Amino acid sequence: MARHRLPRLLLLPVTLTILILLFLSSSPPPPPPQPPIPCGAAPSDATAGRWVPTPSPPPPPLYIQSCPFHRNAWNCLRNGRPPVAALSWAPSRCGGAVVPRLDPAAFLAAARGRRIGLVGDSLSENLVVALLCALRSGDGGARKWKRRGAWRGGYFPREDVVVAYHRAVLLAKYTWQPVENSKPQSDGIKGTYRVDVDIPADDWANITKFYDVLIFNTGHWWGPDKFPKETPLVFYRGGKPIEPPLGIFDGLKVVLRSMGSYIEREVPSKTLKLWRTQSPRHFDGGEWDHNGSCVSDRLLEENELDSWFDPRFGGVNKEARLVNSAIWEALVGTDIQLLNLTYMSEFRADAHPAIWLGKKDAVAVWGQDCMHWCLPGVPDTWVDILAVRILHYFKQGKG
Ligand SMILES: *[C@@H]1O[C@H](CO)[C@@H](O)[C@H](O)[C@H]1NC(C)=O
Ligand SMILES: *[C@@H]1O[C@H](CO)[C@@H](O)[C@H](O)[C@H]1NC(C)=O
Ligand SMILES: *[C@@H]1O[C@H](CO)[C@@H](O)[C@H](O)[C@H]1NC(C)=O
């Protein structure tokens, strides 16, 4: 036996050399196969597709009027609105299939021990309510959770999952500064809101490392409805007023860039960072305070979308696409991915709370609500898309 061993040992360096040479001369090995991207998880799945009737038999609803996470004004069934049509989103890529509905128990199991946070304005809240109510059907022990500055949230004990929303309507920190009484104001200004473009609002400044998935939005407060000329926004950087002063839309652009780089820097790279684009409004016939209405059960046709939303036509709902172009410019090249739900939502003029707001005088005071969405309704489809995207991210071994 010993006679054979020696020549074999001598062969070893030769074999190794040949192997190394082969390795160096051959092209790099192919990357390991990626799991196929499930329907709904590709970013383009939300931006190319159409609404179709939910394949029958439609599954029973994941939640009803009594879900404890509801916010009254969006609980349209309780408020007497006829149910929103049961429609599903069929992405062009999926060959006729629709984005599968969230399986709450399976989602919670896959998200075991994880935390999902949303940060932004009430449209993020609209989305989180849909997500909380849906997930609750997968864990009856779900309870409210409002720690770490969360405005609304839930804890799902079976799989130890947290889902919460942090209210930060401008994302950046802003503070009310009344004018001093001694100074007479000829211009009618009652005070200003100081926006520190480089400082995140307290509500989320400290949670950047707490969550495994973070979904941001801002956009609906950047207009004269919220900040009229008597109480304008004034932008500061490094503690000093920005000179010359910025108008509100330029201020938005600066805040988007600055918050984008804060998120890139402060949120760990293994965290899934998403930015939800604008939710379109559907005020027909006038602004919210000029009898704008969305009492409708008709979806818009594809060829109507531009006349409703293209800023070139100057309609009352042009805000969404305007803000979106600022979001795109600010975030391109960062590690924050867009969750572009605008296009699919533009069709859905049929799905807002409108006059069914649950309070007698709400419409007289506030006008119709053609901005938020009924629940159940369109945000459930947002949830389905968000869920497949999150699960795909986890399955790739990220997060
Ligand atoms: C969102 O998707 C629509 C439809 O494809 C597209 O026109 C729009 O530019 C996208 N917006 C952003 C911010 O990427
Ligand atoms: C954030 O955390 C730091 C350090 O723990 C603390 O000093 C600060 O007050 C916190 N800020 C907010 C807004 O909670
Ligand atoms: C809204 O409609 C009511 C009733 O038709 C009318 O009296 C009122 O002037 C309208 N308001 C505006 C701002 O157009």
Side-chain angles (χ1 to χ4, degrees), residues 200-276:
D202 287 353
D203 312 71
W204 69 280
N206 272 353
I207 52 98
T208 52
K209 296 178 177 60
F210 180 71
Y211 290 101
D212 301 282
V213 176
L214 273 170
I215 305 136
F216 295 91
N217 103 298
T218 186
H220 295 278
W221 279 59
W222 298 85
D225 300 357
K226 298 290 188 191
F227 300 106
K229 58 182 186 306
E230 309 82 56
T231 56
L233 299 178
V234 179
F235 298 94
Y236 284 64
R237 183 189 278 128
K240 299 204 179 68
I242 295 180
E243 292 291 348
L246 301 177
I248 194 163
F249 195 66
D250 287 326
L252 166 65
K253 290 180 177 175
V254 171
V255 165
L256 289 171
R257 269 198 297 278
S258 151
M259 291 298 110
S261 59
Y262 180 84
I263 293 162
E264 220 184 355
R265 200 169 62 238
E266 293 294 326
V267 180
S269 57
K270 71 165 189 10
T271 305
L272 175 58
K273 310 175 191 182
L274 294 169
W275 195 293
R276 225 222 38 236

Side-chain angles (χ1 to χ4, degrees), residues 274-326:
L274 294 169
W275 195 293
R276 225 222 38 236
T277 61
Q278 276 299 88
S279 168
R281 318 175 323 151
H282 291 91
F283 287 98
D284 192 12
E287 256 294 357
W288 62 274
D289 55 352
H290 285 79
N291 289 339
S293 166
C294 51
V295 178
S296 165
D297 56 11
R298 187 180 78 83
L299 273 70
L300 301 185
E301 305 281 347
E302 171 106 52
N303 63 17
E304 291 174 286
L305 299 182
D306 282 351
S307 68
W308 274 67
F309 300 108
D310 190 321
R312 282 177 302 173
F313 300 115
V316 297
N317 303 298
K318 60 181 180 295
E319 156 205 284
R321 291 191 188 180
L322 277 175
V323 171
N324 275 356
S325 52

Side-chain angles (χ1 to χ4, degrees), residues 91-106:
S92 310
R93 190 179 67 90
C94 303
V98 302
V99 177
R101 194 174 77 171
L102 169 77
D103 176 340

Side-chain angles (χ1 to χ4, degrees), residues 108-131:
L108 287 169
R112 181 168 186 78
R114 307 297 216 305
R115 301 162 180 152
I116 299 170
L118 292 89
V119 181
D121 60 32
S122 59
L123 272 300
S124 278
E125 187 177 4
N126 215 170
L127 171 56
V128 89
V129 171
L131 181 57

Side-chain angles (χ1 to χ4, degrees), residues 157-232:
R158 188 177 298 164
E159 307 286 356
D160 183 29
V161 171
V162 170
V163 174
Y165 159 68
H166 295 254
R167 182 174 158 94
V169 295
L170 303 181
L171 293 181
K173 179 181 179 119
Y174 76 106
T175 15
W176 170 242
Q177 300 186 305
V179 293
E180 292 147 41
N181 286 336
S182 52
K183 274 197 254 164
Q185 294 290 317
S186 52
D187 49 9
I189 290 188
K190 298 184 193 133
T192 58
Y193 287 97
R194 166 181 169 157
V195 181
D196 283 284
V197 301
D198 43 4
I199 305 180
D202 287 353
D203 312 71
W204 69 280
N206 272 353
I207 52 98
T208 52
K209 296 178 177 60
F210 180 71
Y211 290 101
D212 301 282
V213 176
L214 273 170
I215 305 136
F216 295 91
N217 103 298
T218 186
H220 295 278
W221 279 59
W222 298 85
D225 300 357
K226 298 290 188 191
F227 300 106
K229 58 182 186 306
E230 309 82 56
T231 56

